[in-house]
Amino acid sequence: MSHYPALRLRRTRSTPWSRRLHAETVLTPVDLIWPLFIAEGQGIEEPIATLPGVSRWSIDGIVARAKEARDAGIPCIALFPNTPPHLRTEDGREALNPDNLMCRATRALKDAVPEIGVLTDVALDPYTAHGHDGLVDAAGYVVNDTTAEMLVGQALNQAAAGADIIAPSDMMDGRIGQIRDALEGGGHVNVQIMSYAAKYASGFYGPFRDAVGSRGLLKGDKKTYQMDSANAEEALREVALDLAEGADSVMVKPGLPYLDIILRVKTEFQVPVFAYQVSGEYAMIEAAVAAGVAERDPVVLETLMAFKRAGCSGVLTYHALHAARLLGA
């Protein structure tokens, strides 16, 4: 390597065109997935206090948001339902209803905006009276195998409604293989599985639980099934198992506090890796903007670039539409 002054690393940074030319990582709207929250009703928009700028939308509003996403170049949206309280039960059976909120929204989207991919969440927390991602026994422990059977039924229900990507976020052992077998057996051979393979028990999920109405319901915590934030090697084992069972892509959640996990998963497996910039991360950015200590546009783009630099194929982010418009400007 040359030495200064023959070598001046600032030379290639001296102009905007040169910085673009030498960029090692590129962020575009096609790298984004936009999470959207569904509410019952017609013409409904319910702002979420802990997620400034984010609302729950009735299905007609979800369709309108999908058209905005399409026009901004976003390829996929992710759906999360706010199930009415009277439909939340101990066994989460509303997850299996072919006319539940998630399935009706999926059908409406595939009818109105077929060119947009639809990712659906597979977990029972929007449907259970206790707020857990699975079924609980008398001691309050989330049971694995019975929950997995429910998740298979939920996945088939969503696939029949037209879901393009099934995204199990529950962290039960063995569920990816069971869901893959059921999708194949049910003729849904092109439905993808994006596994939440390394989902950590995190303090960053609070606003999301407000959005889907489960925060006040949750009894205890989720540490017996979501991962310990101290563990990295375990994340690699979880990813390896899910890939072996038939996952097409894997997700790390939360995002920015786990960039090291994203990098290790990408380096180890060389498969499509996604990250979820979760509700708490979004809320912190918006709080910083509101406090006048950060500018939204550069901070949003910098954090998303960090995910791509770490190895992500794409990012689920509540800033997706805003970022896509910035990138397309």
Side-chain angles (χ1 to χ4, degrees):
M1 183 180 290
S2 300
H3 299 283
Y4 173 86
L7 177 64
R8 293 177 182 265
L9 291 179
R10 288 185 59 191
R11 282 194 194 106
T12 58
R13 306 177 203 148
S14 61
T15 59
W17 68 262
S18 183
R19 291 193 293 273
R20 293 194 301 271
L21 184 65
H22 290 87
E24 299 173 18
T25 306
V26 177
L27 177 69
T28 74
V30 300
D31 299 315
L32 306 174
I33 298 174
W34 190 14
L36 293 170
F37 297 105
I38 324 166
E40 284 285 6
Q42 182 76 17
I44 301 296
E45 178 185 359
E46 300 172 346
I48 301 163
T50 50
L51 282 173
V54 178
S55 296
R56 304 181 197 93
W57 299 90
S58 51
I59 291 174
D60 55 309
I62 293 289
V63 169
R65 302 292 77 73
K67 292 177 179 178
E68 290 181 320
R70 175 200 61 197
D71 294 344
I74 297 170
C76 184
I77 60 174
L79 298 180
F80 299 91
N82 181 24
T83 303
H86 71 279
L87 295 175
R88 297 175 188 246
T89 58
E90 291 296 313
D91 61 3
R93 60 182 174 273
E94 179 66 8
L96 305 182
N97 178 3
D99 288 317
N100 65 27
L101 195 52
M102 177 79 89
C103 291
R104 282 184 279 126
T106 299
R107 288 194 293 269
L109 286 168
K110 299 314 294 184
D111 287 342
V113 201
E115 59 271 37
I116 280 280
V118 177
L119 180 154
T120 55
D121 177 59
V122 172
L124 298 184
D125 52 323
Y127 306 98
T128 56
H130 45 70
H132 277 289
D133 294 35
L135 307 177
V136 299
D137 63 16
Y141 183 79
V142 175
V143 294
N144 193 93
D145 296 358
T146 309
T147 294
E149 292 176 9
M150 281 285 292
L151 299 174
V152 170
Q154 184 182 16
L156 287 174
N157 193 31
Q158 294 174 358
D164 299 295
I165 304 176
I166 299 296
S169 64
D170 55 284
M171 290 298 289
M172 297 299 118
D173 291 333
R175 89 280 200 211
I176 298 299
Q178 294 177 50
I179 291 172
R180 172 55 71 204
D181 288 346
L183 291 173
E184 289 290 320
H188 304 292
V189 298
N190 286 326
V191 173
Q192 301 174 40
I193 297 177
M194 181 188 294
S195 169
Y196 287 61
K199 181 178 180 180
Y200 286 83
S202 171
F204 286 92
Y205 300 148
F208 175 91
R209 291 173 185 162
D210 290 335
V212 298
S214 67
R215 188 203 284 264
L217 301 177
L218 183 61
K219 297 176 175 63
D221 56 45
K222 301 189 177 187
K223 293 181 179 179
T224 67
Y225 49 102
Q226 295 177 356
M227 286 186 55
D228 187 333
S229 61
N231 294 356
E233 300 297 335
E234 184 183 16
L236 300 183
R237 295 178 67 192
E238 289 279 11
V239 169
L241 286 168
D242 286 1
L243 290 172
E245 291 176 18
D248 299 288
S249 58
V250 294
M251 189 194 296
V252 176
K253 181 181 179 182
L256 287 176
Y258 297 89
L259 290 177
D260 61 315
I261 306 300
I262 294 168
L263 178 60
R264 291 187 65 174
V265 170
K266 186 65 175 181
T267 301
E268 178 77 16
F269 299 102
Q270 293 295 306
V271 297
V273 181
F274 291 80
Y276 200 142
Q277 188 178 38
V278 298
S279 59
E281 297 174 65
Y282 171 92
M284 287 195 303
I285 291 174
E286 291 301 311
V289 171
V293 299
E295 296 182 36
R296 180 181 290 107
D297 294 0
V299 169
V300 166
L301 294 181
E302 184 177 343
T303 55
L304 294 175
M305 186 67 80
F307 289 118
K308 287 298 301 290
R309 192 181 64 246
C312 279
S313 297
V315 185
L316 284 81
T317 174
Y318 303 101
H319 281 123
L321 185 63
H322 181 67
R325 288 171 171 167
L326 290 175
L327 293 165

